[in-house]
Amino acid sequence: MGYILAVAEKPSISKAVAQHLSGGRFTTVSTELLKHPIGYLHFTDSYQLSIPGNKYVKNYEFDFAFGSSWGRCKVTMTSVLGHLKTLDFEKQYQSWKSCPPGSLFDAPTDYSVDKEKTSIAKNIESKARDAKALFIWTDCDREGEHIGTEIREVARRHNPRLDVKRARFSNVERAHVLQAAQNPIDIDERQANAVAARMELDLRIGAALTRLQTLSLQTMGPQLADLVLSYGSCQFPTLGFVVDRYFRVKNFVAETFWLISVKYQRNDINVSFNWDRVHLFDRMAVTVLLERCLAAQTATVIKLERKPTSNRKPLPLTTLELQQMGTRYLRMDSQKVMRVAEELYNKGFISYPRTETDQFSPEIDLKKLVEKQKPDHRWGQYAEGLLNGNFRSPRAGRHNDQAHPPIHPVAYVKPEALENDEQRRVYEFVARHFLACCSEDAKGESTKVGIKYGDEFFHANGLIVLERNYLDVYPYRKWESSRQLPEFVMGETFVPSEANIVEGKTTPPGYLSEPDLLGLMEANGIGTDATMAEHIAKIKERNYVVTQSGGGSTASASNDVEASDPQGSGRGRGRGRGRGRGGSAGTQGAGGRATGNAMQVFIPTTLGVALIEGYEAVGFETSLSKPFLRKEMELKMKAICAGTKTKNDVVQETLEQYREVFVRTSQQIDVLKAVRYRSHQESLGPGQF
């Protein structure tokens, strides 16, 4: 009987896979003998011994029939803890002042086992010595492919002829795991190379520019003396979005507008007709147009439209949608949403939570997944209704990463069995979203009445919701009936009850919320669905931005990381001054502040503003605060995955681009310092620097 070494990306997956493949009949054996007063004892099974040097990783031993691939074999199932190896500069370049920052673009690097994971590597080496094959169970994404190559390299140190395969899986449901075990595939070398390229670029570019700006600016005052002013090719465009929106709000100039409001009452129903022109910025012109309306005395019905309408159910759940909806409705930031989703995945309750796919494969038995939700007292009856004739196939989106299905529940879990309220909220959202996907769209009837009054045209809309359908299980969307319109007849005339001029003011756009920021990052190719939350967390950690409740007062901060002064918020379109144009047309006077919304928004600190303005003042052809350079880099990563570019070509091309950025920044570092000084003075007042 042959021997197979299987390695997962994390201990929880290792244990779950071992449970399924062994049918629950495995032993857990440590390679270390423990000293006992009466001699050495070899503990197994219930003691669940960890490997020497690491309390989290265990070795599970059992037999399994792999079918045509390897036949029946003895198996040791173990794991790593994410990346096994790290990439860093060689020791003589690791000290911040060991070399000029610019030399890091070419400095030799060391790619070796992380010192904290030496015991894990030794365990893999030891277990691989006599194995005929290595079976990798890392996550099926770029990062997982690269971790797989790290495991392969360590395992082959003493067994260079080791056959290496990987499992293709997206959840740890039993049938899915068994199918993956009997259908091994090869590691995707191209995806692994894309990660290797990104790692090298992030190290060299990030280290060079971080050391340059930190060492150059930390002498400008005690506030900066102990700060690391990091640069990242995703961090800066992310910060740039926040700063750009901040200036659109700060520099916004409200404008007064006027509109004609027409009202009519019939059968105790008040109808408000909206002006087709919306509004004008010329009061005199609006006055003249109103006078023409009043002179006509009667309005004529020129359009009657009644038709079925619907509110479409959500698309299958992607990582980005999970993060956006989580920050909007679950009272968590995107990083916490992903951490909780990972916990649920590791426990086998939901599918892999990092996916761009918004379409279900026909191979997935969706009704079986719906059936698993029947025991729940909140949505179980709804699930039963789906199985009794209300089931509808989910919508198919346009994205398929060819690696993972949309996020969905793979097992039912009672609320009390989950560890905390965060897990309960995320699981509930995933379950409700999945059931909504398998439902009918909400249906209603819309009514539109168009009138001509003088030379002007107006309209009124009505909506009646007839069938709520998916909305009954999905409280995260609102679609409600408006007041029903009275009956009108085509061509009839009537005298409006009221016609007058209403004055309003445009209001600025709101500061960026986390869902807004995630949407901008996704649209501009900044980070991946798996890393966006990390980039947002990093600019908060570096004190480049702070958060506050939407539309509220200035966030509290001090000295160099004081929040830039908000000048109000609001939403929509209007006119701006300085950076960008935009705002909204409101009819609530000059107010414009959002109220009653606890969602957090991002405000740049004076430090964050100074960094963005400083680099813009340097005058790069392609701004570092804009997404273009990073978007181009991500396209190159995809080209490596597609086989149209090599890792070495991408690394060299990109390093040359950023080397030019570094040289110009070095030459004009005084420009960066001057902007930093001015921003600080404007924020804190003269003499306080």
Side-chain angles (χ1 to χ4, degrees):
M1 186 184 295
Y3 167 57
I4 304 293
L5 172 62
V7 185
E9 188 171 323
K10 49 186 78 75
S12 58
I13 300 300
S14 174
K15 183 176 182 179
V17 172
Q19 287 272 10
H20 293 321
L21 298 189
S22 69
R25 296 183 296 274
F26 59 78
T27 56
T28 309
V29 180
S30 171
T31 54
E32 181 180 66
L33 295 178
L34 301 182
K35 181 68 176 174
H36 188 272
I38 60 172
Y40 286 96
L41 296 180
H42 199 182
F43 291 104
T44 62
D45 239 358
S46 60
Y47 286 94
Q48 299 282 293
L49 291 179
S50 302
I51 66 168
N54 191 289
K55 64 181 180 180
Y56 301 108
V57 176
K58 299 179 176 66
N59 294 331
Y60 303 94
E61 296 186 354
F62 53 89
D63 294 345
F64 182 75
F66 288 97
S68 58
S69 52
W70 296 306
R72 188 165 189 83
C73 298
K74 290 187 177 296
V75 181
T76 294
M77 183 85 209
T78 189
S79 75
V80 291
L81 294 172
H83 280 281
L84 190 58
K85 305 180 74 174
T86 58
L87 179 69
D88 202 348
F89 296 109
E90 290 187 355
K91 191 172 182 179
Q92 64 269 33
Y93 294 91
Q94 291 179 9
S95 169
W96 275 59
K97 297 182 179 180
S98 61
C99 64
S103 66
L104 298 177
F105 282 97
D106 303 300
T109 57
D110 175 51
Y111 181 52
S112 58
V113 172
D114 188 318
K115 291 180 180 178
E116 295 183 358
K117 297 179 180 179
T118 303
S119 60
I120 300 175
K122 287 181 178 179
N123 182 58
I124 292 173
E125 283 184 51
S126 171
K127 293 297 180 181
R129 285 178 185 271
D130 301 319
K132 73 173 183 179
L134 170 67
F135 200 5
I136 292 169
W137 287 76
T138 53
D139 294 338
C140 292
D141 54 17
R142 282 190 205 171
E143 216 71 26
E145 299 297 334
H146 191 270
I147 294 171
T149 63
E150 296 174 357
I151 296 168
R152 178 181 63 190
E153 186 175 324
V154 169
R156 280 181 168 172
R157 285 179 181 174
H158 300 295
N159 190 350
R161 295 183 180 181
L162 190 66
D163 183 27
V164 180
K165 296 290 183 180
R166 69 115 69 241
R168 185 182 183 87
F169 70 109
S170 58
N171 64 69
V172 289
E173 191 266 333
R174 183 174 182 276
H176 189 67
V177 168
L178 292 175
Q179 183 181 28
Q182 294 177 333
N183 295 277
I185 61 174
D186 292 326
I187 289 177
D188 189 328
E189 303 291 347
R190 291 173 178 174
Q191 289 200 54
N193 285 338
V195 173
R198 192 214 71 225
M199 288 170 63
E200 181 173 353
L201 290 171
D202 286 350
L203 174 66
R204 293 188 183 280
I205 295 167
L209 284 164
T210 294
R211 289 190 192 182
L212 174 66
Q213 65 188 23
T214 300
L215 295 174
S216 300
L217 298 180
Q218 66 181 189
T219 59
M220 296 189 66
Q223 301 90 349
L224 298 179
D226 298 321
L227 292 181
V228 173
L229 306 182
S230 66
Y231 172 87
S233 57
C234 285
Q235 278 180 53
F236 262 54
T238 302
L239 173 60
F241 291 135
V242 176
V243 172
D244 183 68
R245 179 62 67 88
Y246 162 74
F247 276 107
R248 286 180 59 194
V249 175
K250 181 179 180 181
N251 298 327
F252 184 84
V253 178
E255 289 187 282
T256 303
F257 61 81
W258 295 266
L259 58 85
I260 298 175
S261 171
V262 174
K263 295 182 179 179
Y264 179 60
Q265 184 180 63
R266 173 179 288 182
N267 301 330
D268 294 326
I269 300 176
N270 293 313
V271 184
S272 294
F273 289 91
N274 300 311
W275 194 16
D276 283 7
R277 295 180 188 265
V278 185
H279 60 258
L280 298 177
F281 291 96
D282 187 330
R283 180 185 176 89
M284 184 59 69
V286 175
T287 302
V288 171
L289 295 174
L290 175 62
E291 288 174 349
R292 291 178 183 174
C293 293
L294 297 174
Q297 295 188 346
T298 61
T300 304
V301 176
I302 61 171
K303 183 177 183 179
L304 277 178
E305 189 178 85
R306 179 179 282 113
K307 61 182 181 180
T309 187
S310 63
N311 184 288
R312 302 194 75 185
K313 61 189 178 185
L315 283 167
L317 189 60
T318 63
T319 301
L320 178 63
E321 181 73 3
L322 173 63
Q323 292 177 100
Q324 290 179 311
M325 294 292 283
T327 55
R328 188 172 281 125
Y329 297 110
L330 305 184
R331 304 186 301 280
M332 304 180 205
D333 63 35
S334 56
Q335 191 174 41
K336 181 174 289 186
V337 169
M338 290 311 299
R339 176 181 59 76
V340 174
E342 286 275 3
E343 292 169 357
L344 294 172
Y345 162 68
N346 291 337
K347 293 176 181 295
F349 299 140
I350 68 172
S351 61
Y352 188 60
R354 300 185 186 276
T355 177
E356 298 175 10
T357 302
D358 56 8
Q359 51 186 257
F360 280 105
S361 165
E363 300 174 0
I364 298 178
D365 189 342
L366 298 176
K367 289 186 177 180
K368 184 177 179 180
L369 294 172
V370 170
E371 187 173 11
K372 292 182 178 182
Q373 296 299 317
K374 285 172 59 177
D376 193 89
H377 69 277
R378 295 159 296 177
W379 57 78
Q381 190 172 352
Y382 186 89
E384 190 166 355
L386 293 181
L387 297 173
N388 290 336
N390 295 332
F391 179 89
R392 298 292 183 273
S393 296
R395 296 166 58 192
R398 295 179 293 176
H399 305 96
N400 191 331
D401 60 18
Q402 304 297 323
H404 303 289
I407 304 166
H408 62 275
V410 296
Y412 175 68
V413 56
K414 294 181 179 180
E416 56 269 24
L418 293 171
E419 295 177 3
N420 52 55
D421 189 55
E422 292 171 347
Q423 289 188 2
R424 285 186 278 274
R425 294 204 304 272
V426 173
Y427 181 83
E428 177 178 351
F429 174 75
V430 171
R432 287 185 180 274
H433 192 102
F434 172 70
L435 294 175
C437 288
C438 298
S439 304
E440 180 71 81
D441 293 342
K443 295 181 179 180
E445 182 180 79
S446 67
T447 305
K448 183 172 184 178
V449 178
I451 64 171
K452 183 179 181 183
Y453 186 28
D455 295 329
E456 297 305 300
F457 298 90
F458 301 82
H459 64 273
N461 298 311
L463 170 69
I464 300 175
V465 176
L466 301 174
E467 299 175 25
R468 287 179 52 80
N469 297 328
Y470 87 89
L471 292 170
D472 285 333
V473 78
Y474 200 68
Y476 314 104
R477 280 191 191 168
K478 301 296 180 186
W479 195 53
E480 299 174 344
S481 297
S482 62
R483 188 164 189 179
Q484 187 173 356
L485 295 179
E487 290 294 327
F488 287 94
V489 178
M490 189 70 172
E492 75 166 286
T493 60
F494 62 87
V495 178
S497 310
E498 183 181 321
N500 53 37
I501 294 176
V502 175
E503 179 180 304
K505 285 184 180 293
T506 56
T507 56
Y511 294 111
L512 284 180
S513 66
E514 193 154 355
D516 296 333
L517 184 53
L518 287 165
L520 284 171
M521 294 171 72
E522 193 272 339
N524 289 278
I526 302 302
T528 65
D529 55 356
T531 62
M532 289 179 191
E534 297 171 13
H535 301 315
I536 294 174
K538 182 60 69 175
I539 63 172
K540 290 195 288 186
E541 178 189 331
R542 294 301 187 208
N543 291 318
Y544 296 163
V545 302
V546 293
T547 57
Q548 66 178 47
S549 294
S553 59
T554 306
S556 175
S558 61
N559 295 329
D560 202 69
V561 294
E562 180 177 348
S564 302
D565 180 35
Q567 299 295 315
S569 63
R571 308 198 63 81
R573 294 191 171 281
R575 296 189 182 179
R577 206 166 53 183
R579 292 175 183 249
R581 302 172 70 84
S584 72
T587 58
Q588 305 302 315
R593 288 187 182 273
T595 59
N597 186 355
M599 184 176 293
Q600 296 290 296
V601 295
F602 295 99
I603 309 293
T605 62
T606 54
L607 175 60
V609 170
L611 288 172
I612 294 301
E613 289 199 318
Y615 277 108
E616 288 190 359
V618 171
F620 295 110
E621 185 174 333
T622 304
S623 172
L624 295 186
S625 68
K626 303 302 180 187
F628 310 120
L629 279 175
R630 182 64 200 200
K631 189 171 186 177
E632 183 181 345
M633 187 189 298
E634 185 56 33
L635 290 174
K636 290 176 181 177
M637 298 301 117
K638 291 181 179 179
I640 295 175
C641 294
T644 56
K645 281 184 177 289
T646 67
K647 167 183 172 285
N648 289 338
D649 287 344
V650 167
V651 169
Q652 292 309 312
E653 287 174 15
T654 308
L655 285 180
E656 285 309 308
Q657 282 182 304
Y658 278 92
R659 196 191 305 268
E660 292 179 15
V661 168
F662 180 89
V663 170
R664 186 158 183 173
T665 302
S666 301
Q667 293 171 344
Q668 300 193 46
I669 197 67
D670 288 341
V671 173
L672 193 63
K673 289 182 176 180
V675 173
R676 157 72 194 93
Y677 180 82
R678 187 182 70 246
S679 295
H680 187 77
Q681 294 292 78
E682 290 174 353
S683 173
L684 300 180
Q688 295 187 40
F689 185 72

